Amino acid sequence: NLMLDALDRDMPDCVKYARPEGGLFIWCTLPENVDMMKFCSTAAQNKVAVVPGTAFMMYPEDKTQCFRLNFSTPTDEAIVKGMKILGEVKKMFI
């Protein structure tokens, strides 16, 4: 819930996602006008790792606007910090 609340707070105009009922990940979708790979690369340059949706595609060259967040490994503090950073990264693209 901490990461979901942070998504609502820090990225409300950017990311669409389904609230999972369990599991370890949140699957997110960026708007069509955002370059997902550049978004993920910029996040990584800012010390926040997100997994590009292409990693889950049968054909990596297929287009996707999705990326995956993991909430099982980071601490609560790291989640809050990381989501704030992602909120700043999204300002470069939206």
Side-chain angles (χ1 to χ4, degrees):
N1 288 329
L2 180 65
M3 188 175 279
L4 294 169
D5 291 344
L7 276 169
D8 291 340
R9 180 187 63 243
D10 299 323
M11 302 183 74
D13 54 345
C14 180
V15 172
K16 293 182 182 178
Y17 64 92
R19 294 183 82 85
E21 293 182 21
L24 307 172
F25 309 103
I26 301 172
W27 191 250
C28 302
T29 305
L30 293 164
E32 286 296 320
N33 62 323
V34 176
D35 183 319
M36 183 273 304
M37 289 302 291
K38 285 185 181 177
F39 177 87
C40 292
S41 175
T42 302
Q45 291 168 7
N46 285 275
K47 309 281 190 243
V48 176
V50 299
V51 181
T54 52
F56 306 98
M57 306 290 285
M58 185 169 185
Y59 303 104
E61 65 275 3
D62 286 351
K63 184 164 173 37
T64 182
Q65 289 304 104
C66 300
F67 65 93
R68 189 178 80 173
L69 297 172
N70 176 334
F71 54 83
S72 67
T73 303
T75 64
D76 287 356
E77 294 80 17
I79 289 173
V80 170
K81 181 179 179 182
M83 295 308 295
K84 284 183 182 176
I85 292 170
L86 282 182
E88 292 300 312
V89 168
K90 67 110 178 176
K91 291 177 184 177
M92 299 177 202
F93 294 89
I94 302 289

